[in-house]
Amino acid sequence: MTHVLGLDLANPVVVGSGLLTDQERNIRRLLETGAGAVVTKTIHPSPPTGLDERILRLPTGMINSTTYSKRSVDHWLGILRSLAHDGLPVIASLHADTPAELAELAVQVEATGCRALELGISCLNEEAGLDDSAERVHSYTAAVRAATPLPFSVKLASGEGLNTRATAAARAGADAVTVSDTLPAAVVHPETGELELGGVFGYSGPGIKPLVLASLWQLRRAGFQLPVLASGGVQSGRDVHDYLRLGAVVAQVYSALHTDMYDTLARIVAETAAETTGPSDPAPGARRPEQVRS
């Protein structure tokens, strides 16, 4: 049994936020297939409209230009009520244009009976990209903490200043952090010489895993105490356990599910169960999941 954000999960494999978690039927079937929990597509009071949202598959993952769910808040509140009524382990991903709006949205979601949140505040596909800062992370986190007692994780991107941003989230009242959001990437079109998808967008997939492992190791080595939900490049049960061995409490899987979604998830869950639990010694500076408070 895995405990995170006030939820008791059957296993540490969590389906991350994205297009695949934008429908109630998908969320339910992913849970039936064996996911320990599912994070919804990010709910936003006023998601961008008229965008050319696409996915570009690469040999080592994918780049996507997607942002937030296009479904209304009212639509999502109905879904969350239904999922909560059935006691399902669902984490609502939320964002808004200002800290005050995000706090208001969190209160609305709390009223549905949803038991946990993830603040998707680091989406670099928003507008022309995102130059995140500790001050910004603190303001969003503090606003939500003041508005609701619900446990929540703040999703952050790996990279420069992660320790400072994660510390800002912790000081502002976060219960956990999710590392990592997608990372900036680009592909050049072989004929036009222009960037595919029209710019720099979020990369996810196997190539991100070593970077997230390094981020996790550095956070733990620096003494960061909050639980970490690791996210990036999970393709197998071995990947899940690599994250757990470096001190993550769960591992989120997403990009791999774009191929044979339910079969892939079932395989990863089975492989995770089959992997040896409790390695002899964690890496230097890392903590076993049970040593980190949740």
Side-chain angles (χ1 to χ4, degrees):
M1 184 70 69
T2 299
H3 185 74
V4 65
L5 297 178
L7 303 174
D8 290 321
L9 312 186
N11 64 72
V13 181
V14 173
V15 177
S17 174
L19 289 171
L20 302 179
T21 63
D22 198 29
Q23 298 182 49
E24 181 177 0
R25 64 183 179 184
N26 282 8
I27 293 172
R28 287 182 176 276
R29 189 171 173 190
L30 287 165
L31 290 168
E32 291 168 0
T33 302
V38 173
V39 186
T40 70
K41 177 81 169 141
T42 302
I43 305 163
H44 195 290
S46 53
T49 58
L51 294 180
D52 182 18
E53 296 188 315
R54 291 180 289 160
I55 291 174
L56 177 65
R57 290 182 179 269
L58 304 173
T60 55
M62 65 184 191
I63 297 176
N64 78 85
S65 61
T66 64
T67 53
Y68 312 114
S69 175
K70 292 176 179 165
R71 304 178 192 278
S72 70
V73 169
D74 285 343
H75 179 87
W76 270 110
L77 294 179
I79 291 175
L80 293 173
R81 285 191 194 95
S82 174
L83 297 170
H85 178 269
D86 293 339
L88 298 177
V90 173
I91 301 169
S93 175
L94 310 179
H95 189 34
D97 292 336
T98 67
E101 288 177 313
L102 183 56
E104 180 180 353
L105 179 59
V107 170
Q108 291 178 285
V109 169
E110 179 189 351
T112 69
C114 180
R115 293 177 289 157
L117 310 175
E118 182 176 87
L119 306 189
I121 66 174
S122 297
C123 177
L124 63 87
N125 292 352
E126 184 180 8
E127 299 175 349
L130 176 66
D131 184 15
D132 215 350
S133 67
E135 293 75 18
R136 179 179 178 277
V137 170
H138 188 281
S139 63
Y140 275 100
T141 305
V144 174
R145 180 75 294 152
T148 177
L150 282 183
F152 66 84
S153 178
V154 179
K155 193 170 187 179
L156 304 171
S158 292
E160 185 176 356
L162 173 61
N163 189 43
T164 302
R165 286 179 281 122
T167 300
R171 289 176 175 170
D175 298 281
V177 296
T178 302
V179 180
S180 167
D181 209 323
T182 57
L183 300 179
V187 173
V188 176
H189 192 286
E191 297 177 1
T192 67
E194 301 293 330
L195 292 186
E196 295 271 17
L197 303 182
V200 174
F201 291 101
Y203 168 71
S204 61
I208 199 177
K209 181 191 167 190
L211 306 179
V212 180
L213 283 171
S215 293
L216 178 57
W217 186 82
Q218 289 167 345
L219 281 173
R220 292 305 185 211
R221 192 182 189 196
F224 186 74
Q225 294 295 308
L226 290 188
V228 177
L229 292 74
S231 176
V234 170
Q235 306 283 306
S236 67
R238 169 62 186 272
D239 294 327
V240 173
H241 278 278
D242 283 350
Y243 280 128
L244 299 183
R245 287 175 178 128
L246 290 195
V249 289
V250 300
Q252 294 188 3
V253 56
Y254 180 76
S255 295
L257 304 184
H258 274 264
T259 301
D260 300 325
M261 176 165 55
Y262 302 112
D263 289 344
T264 299
L265 175 62
R267 173 182 57 78
I268 293 173
V269 170
E271 290 173 352
T272 299
E275 279 283 328
T276 303
T277 58
S280 57
D281 289 297
R287 298 165 182 261
R288 297 187 193 279
E290 64 268 21
Q291 292 177 305
V292 184
R293 77 171 180 86
S294 59

